[in-house]
């Protein structure tokens, strides 16, 4: 019970810090389709998204990095690593690594969306594998949070080596977002 | 007519466990994540021992959705493979000898996987089992469920499709 309380407290601090950072750094209207925020706010929000990813142990362990960020968009990379091979005969990366990359990239796209005011978690993620990743090459993911409601962010993503039109895998997901106005009860 | 005397239990167990271990340990990423398999007859349970670098949200803390997804995918993949290997291994003859020698049929390919994140993955060991809903000549449809403390309170579930390669 105490542990659970501590968990909740930690979450509250996490949410509060993030919300206050977002609020003071970005003067974004709650309207999702609202006017573009100024470039300073963009930079700060993206900084938050970068910091989020920089402290995620599993993303760090897999060697993930953020390559580019936009409003509700993210490009992330995972270097080729022999430890992550799925087929020892061909050296092709395991699908699970692509899953981890796509999940992270989708989450980062949600965080970098102007309407996002708190942390996010994956509700559901579907991944379609089109082909094997080319052995020896880094894999990139591009994710776009294309729609956000008060409680849900909808994201699509693609994994590729060099060409987004020649995908290794595509993903669609739904992510949780904290309600825009009233605090979480 | 007298029936052939059954093999000693240790011989049977060792053969089946060896095949299961050889399969799982041959894949670097399964070794990296540390996924292990436990077996009762032909039933498999996958185990993901907790490690700090599986965390995706350090504040909660919670398991990374990618690690959870990968765990479910590995469990489903292994189940489809195991269902192919089992009859070969138990059927005797040249096919069984090939399995004993570590020569397995090619792994099926993952076509797609849909993961439902039902609850926060807690910082502790996770377990998963897969059920083949339909096994065709070319395609297999598999459901996977993962739990931590209570089997009836899964924290993630998945449906996956595989392309058979034989």
């Amino acid at each position: 019970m105490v542990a659970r309380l501590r968990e909740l407290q930690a979450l509250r601090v996490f949410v509060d810090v993030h919300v206050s950072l977002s609020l003071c750094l970005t003067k974004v209207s709650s309207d999702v389709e609202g006017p573009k925020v100024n470039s300073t706010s963009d930079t700060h929000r993206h900084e938050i998204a970068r910091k989020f990813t920089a402290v995620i142990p599993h993303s760090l362990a897999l060697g993930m990095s953020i390559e580019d960020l936009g409003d509700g968009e993210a490009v992330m990379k995972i270097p080729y690593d022999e430890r992550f091979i799925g087929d020892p005969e061909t050296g092709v990366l395991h699908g699970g690594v692509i899953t981890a990359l796509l999940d992270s990239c989708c989450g980062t796209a949600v965080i970098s969306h102007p309407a996002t005011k708190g942390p996010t978690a994956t509700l559901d993620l579907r991944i379609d594998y089109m082909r094997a990743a080319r052995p020896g090459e880094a894999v990139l993911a591009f994710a776009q949070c294309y729609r956000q409601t008060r409680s849900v962010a909808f994201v699509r993503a693609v994994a590729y080596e060099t060409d987004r039109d020649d995908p290794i895998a595509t993903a669609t997901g739904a992510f949780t977002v904290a309600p825009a106005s009233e605090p979480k009860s | 007519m007298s029936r052939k005397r059954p093999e000693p239990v240790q011989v049977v167990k060792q053969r089946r466990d060896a095949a299961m271990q050889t399969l799982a340990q041959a894949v670097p990423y399964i070794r990296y994540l540390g996924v292990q398999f436990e077996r009762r007859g032909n039933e498999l349970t996958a185990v993901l021992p907790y490690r700090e670098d599986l965390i995706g949200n350090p504040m909660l803390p919670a398991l990374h959705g990618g690690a959870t997804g990968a765990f479910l995918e590995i469990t489903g993949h292994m189940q489809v493979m195991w269902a192919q290997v089992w009859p070969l291994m138990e059927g005797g003859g040249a096919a069984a000898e090939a399995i004993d020698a570590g020569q397995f049929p090619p792994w099926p390919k993952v076509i797609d996987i849909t993961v439902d994140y039902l609850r926060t993955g807690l910082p502790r060991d996770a377990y998963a089992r897969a059920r083949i809903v339909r096994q065709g000549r070319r395609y297999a449809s598999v459901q996977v469920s993962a739990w931590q403390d209570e089997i009836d309170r899964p924290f993630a579930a998945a449906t996956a499709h595989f392309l058979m390669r034989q």
Side-chain angles (χ1 to χ4, degrees), chain A residues 7 10-11 13-14 55-59 61-62 64 82-88 94-97 99-100 103-104 119-120 122-129, chain B residues 26-30 32-33 52-61 64-67 69-70 73-74 77 107 110-118 122 165:
Chain A
E7 266 177 30
L11 173 65
V13 170
F14 185 61
V55 296
I56 296 176
H58 193 59
S59 304
L62 295 179
M64 278 183 217
E82 288 181 351
R83 291 174 299 163
F84 308 152
I85 289 172
D87 183 347
H94 196 282
V97 183
T99 302
D103 181 57
S104 294
T120 183
T122 318
L123 273 173
D124 116 300
L125 188 69
R126 176 193 165 110
I127 297 174
D128 293 299
Y129 294 101
Chain B
V27 181
Y29 185 63
I30 296 181
Y32 169 78
L33 269 189
E52 264 178 33
D53 68 3
L54 297 177
I55 289 293
N57 183 334
M59 302 306 286
L60 285 174
H64 195 286
E73 182 177 323
I74 287 169
H77 208 183
W107 282 85
V110 190
I111 301 169
D112 61 59
I113 180 165
T114 307
V115 185
D116 282 343
Y117 294 89
L118 306 170
L122 300 170
R165 291 162 80 191

Side-chain angles (χ1 to χ4, degrees), chain A residues 165-184:
Chain A
D165 293 329
D166 180 22
I168 298 164
T170 60
T172 50
F175 285 69
T176 65
V177 286
S181 47
E182 65 269 69
K184 236 178 158 182

Side-chain angles (χ1 to χ4, degrees), chain A residues 100-173:
Chain A
L101 175 69
L102 285 167
D103 181 57
S104 294
C105 195
C106 286
T108 306
V110 174
I111 296 285
S112 63
H113 192 282
T116 304
K117 296 285 186 289
T120 183
T122 318
L123 273 173
D124 116 300
L125 188 69
R126 176 193 165 110
I127 297 174
D128 293 299
Y129 294 101
M130 261 110 248
R131 63 173 174 85
R134 288 197 289 268
E137 291 187 39
V139 176
L140 291 159
F142 168 69
Q144 191 180 31
C145 177
Y146 61 93
R147 178 67 70 181
Q148 195 171 129
T149 71
R150 282 159 56 86
S151 333
V152 186
F154 297 94
V155 193
R156 54 179 158 238
V158 57
Y160 57 99
E161 295 98 348
T162 48
D163 182 2
R164 279 180 205 169
D165 293 329
D166 180 22
I168 298 164
T170 60
T172 50

Side-chain angles (χ1 to χ4, degrees), chain B residues 77-95:
Chain B
H77 208 183
M78 181 69 171
Q79 187 66 54
V80 182
M81 184 61 163
W82 185 242
Q84 265 189 298
V85 168
W86 181 269
L88 298 174
M89 181 174 67
E90 297 301 310

